[in-house]
Each structure stands twice: as structure tokens, then as C-alpha cells.
Amino acid sequence: MISCMQIQVYKLAENIKSKGGKITREPGPVKGGSTVISFAQDPDGYLFELIQRAETPEPLCQVMLRVGDLERSIKFYEKVFSFLM
């Protein structure tokens, strides 16, 4: 599982759904707390967590993923997150 820190988790979850991604836990506060989280699934079934927090200069520095279909995964992460691979 990977975690991705975002300022607007609600907006990111909608963006993921609109681009064909799957949200497995809708955005909302954690039980007993106020931090907003959501979970999503990539095309290979890997889960990743979205955590809402204040803006930082480096929200995501490095990620290593094992994927079943490299081209499909590259297209997904470029399309949903605008990652450069």
C-alpha cells in the first residue's frame, strides 16, 4: 500500500472516479478524529491511501510499485495524478 498526502482528498477522490479509478473508502474523517482519509485501488488491485493535510513542498517524493501490467499502470498514474513516469 502507498500513501499520498493531498490538500483536497474529496476532490482527488472524485477525480480518480471520473477517470475510471475505484474508491474503496469514500473520503471522510477517521474514526474518533478529524483527519480526512480515503482509499483507492489502482488497475492491478493495489490499494493506496489518500490523506488530507496542509500543503507541503514535497507531498510525495518517491514510490516503488509492483504492477501486473506496466503500460496500464503508467497510463493510470499519469492520468489520475499527472505523475511523470
Side-chain angles (χ1 to χ4, degrees):
M1 180 187 307
I2 65 170
S3 294
C4 183
M5 305 291 193
Q6 289 289 326
I7 298 170
Q8 297 291 330
V9 169
Y10 291 97
K11 184 176 178 181
L12 181 57
E14 286 304 315
N15 187 43
I16 290 169
K17 288 192 285 189
S18 74
K19 294 181 178 179
K22 181 179 179 183
I23 298 297
T24 60
R25 180 199 191 275
E26 290 294 328
V30 296
K31 185 175 182 179
S34 61
T35 302
V36 175
I37 67 167
S38 180
F39 286 92
Q41 192 172 41
D42 77 2
D44 289 311
Y46 293 101
L47 291 176
F48 54 97
E49 183 178 13
L50 309 171
I51 306 168
Q52 189 162 304
R53 70 171 191 185
E55 188 171 356
T56 61
E58 297 294 334
L60 184 65
C61 299
Q62 179 180 355
V63 173
M64 190 227 22
L65 297 172
R66 295 175 200 260
V67 299
D69 184 326
L70 181 60
E71 292 302 315
R72 180 181 65 194
S73 294
I74 287 173
K75 288 177 186 174
F76 174 79
Y77 285 100
E78 287 178 341
K79 182 173 147 183
V80 171
F81 293 106
S82 301
F83 284 174
L84 299 176
M85 307 277 186

